[in-house]
Amino acid sequence: MIEIKDVSFTYNQAEAPSLSQVSLSIREGECVLLCGKSGCGKTTMTRLLNGMIPDFYDGALDGQIRVKGFDPVNCSMYEISKVVGTVFQNPRTQFYTVNTTSEIAFGCKNYGWPPEQIRERVMQAAADLHIEELLDRNIFELSGGEKQKIALPSAGRSRPRRTMWWRRRNRPNAPN
Ligand SMILES: Nc1ncnc2c1ncn2[C@@H]1O[C@H](COP(=O)(O)OP(=O)(O)OP(=O)(O)O)[C@@H](O)[C@H]1O
Ligand SMILES: [Mg+2]
């Protein structure tokens, strides 16, 4: 699902590359922990996968990246955000709303889903993560861990199969 081949990246005006000749392959369903000392390039790797490089962070890039068939470097943010979601180290910096339910719904609203589908998606995500009691709360009154639990479904694009089936049948050209 994620294929990275011989990737090197140097931020603009940096003296040394932040990533040098990195290759890795991650299959669907695998949970991979990327670890290493501070400054070794973990965040830079996530920026390559979610399209922030080169859209937001410019620099010299070599190598090949594929995420579910997409090339995050050459496709639009709108396209890559269908398959990649990012939860930041500090989730407080990524919220757009002040209400937990609205926050989980935010991404789907941007894709123009019908309200009943968004409601279903929010309830399903809350059930999957056992966070029903966190719905309809003020985000700023949550603990740090609870904020992360809201950031996760808000960043994620996964949803029940029946929702996908409904969408294909009723809106065949809608974004996945
Ligand atoms: N916007 C930037 N411009 C120039 N250099 C950068 C930029 N962001 C990161 N770097 C440099 O790239 C290297 C990798 O940084 P990165 O943030 O990917 O590390 P990290 O592994 O996530 O570190 P940490 O564990 O501290 O979060 C570091 O040397 C850093 O100084
Ligand atoms: Mg980091």
Side-chain angles (χ1 to χ4, degrees), residues 105-123:
F106 186 76
C108 306
K109 280 186 187 169
N110 274 323
Y111 279 112
W113 288 24
E116 66 274 20
Q117 292 300 302
I118 297 178
R119 239 184 317 273
E120 187 188 352
R121 157 81 175 103
V122 170
M123 298 315 292

Side-chain angles (χ1 to χ4, degrees), residues 9-19 34-47 56-58 89:
F9 180 74
T10 307
Y11 287 98
N12 257 358
Q13 283 154 22
E15 284 175 11
S18 294
L19 293 174
L34 202 60
C35 57
K37 66 178 184 181
S38 186
C40 76
K42 304 177 296 290
T43 297
T44 303
M45 180 71 87
T46 65
R47 289 171 182 163
F56 192 80
Y57 297 97
D58 216 350
Q89 222 151 320

Side-chain angles (χ1 to χ4, degrees), residues 10-176:
T10 307
Y11 287 98
N12 257 358
Q13 283 154 22
E15 284 175 11
S18 294
L19 293 174
S20 292
Q21 300 263 293
V22 178
S23 296
L24 70 92
S25 178
I26 300 173
R27 286 182 304 241
E28 185 143 14
E30 267 188 313
C31 178
V32 173
L33 173 68
L34 202 60
C35 57
K37 66 178 184 181
S38 186
C40 76
K42 304 177 296 290
T43 297
T44 303
M45 180 71 87
T46 65
R47 289 171 182 163
L48 282 169
L49 296 174
N50 66 19
M52 295 288 280
I53 294 174
D55 273 6
F56 192 80
Y57 297 97
D58 216 350
L61 175 66
D62 277 323
Q64 251 199 2
I65 306 161
R66 287 286 179 281
V67 182
K68 260 195 158 175
F70 287 86
D71 171 3
V73 175
N74 290 309
C75 74
S76 65
M77 192 62 86
Y78 171 79
E79 289 294 322
I80 195 64
S81 65
K82 289 178 196 168
V83 293
V84 180
T86 309
V87 176
F88 298 160
Q89 222 151 320
N90 176 2
R92 252 178 308 181
T93 59
Q94 74 184 87
F95 293 131
Y96 284 91
T97 75
V98 292
N99 176 276
T100 52
T101 304
S102 306
E103 186 61 35
I104 298 172
F106 186 76
C108 306
K109 280 186 187 169
N110 274 323
Y111 279 112
W113 288 24
E116 66 274 20
Q117 292 300 302
I118 297 178
R119 239 184 317 273
E120 187 188 352
R121 157 81 175 103
V122 170
M123 298 315 292
Q124 187 64 54
D128 289 347
L129 293 166
H130 309 292
I131 55 167
E132 290 96 333
E133 77 284 0
L134 297 182
L135 290 181
D136 215 16
R137 294 266 310 270
N138 181 335
I139 283 182
F140 296 101
E141 291 171 1
L142 301 181
S143 74
E146 287 172 338
K147 286 190 182 85
Q148 285 174 332
K149 287 181 179 177
I150 296 300
L152 203 62
S154 145
R157 293 274 164 271
S158 58
R159 49 194 184 275
R161 280 183 190 284
R162 70 197 142 103
T163 308
M164 293 177 77
W165 169 82
W166 184 93
R167 285 169 57 70
R168 286 214 190 93
R169 196 180 60 144
N170 293 284
R171 302 179 64 201
N173 297 321
N176 284 315

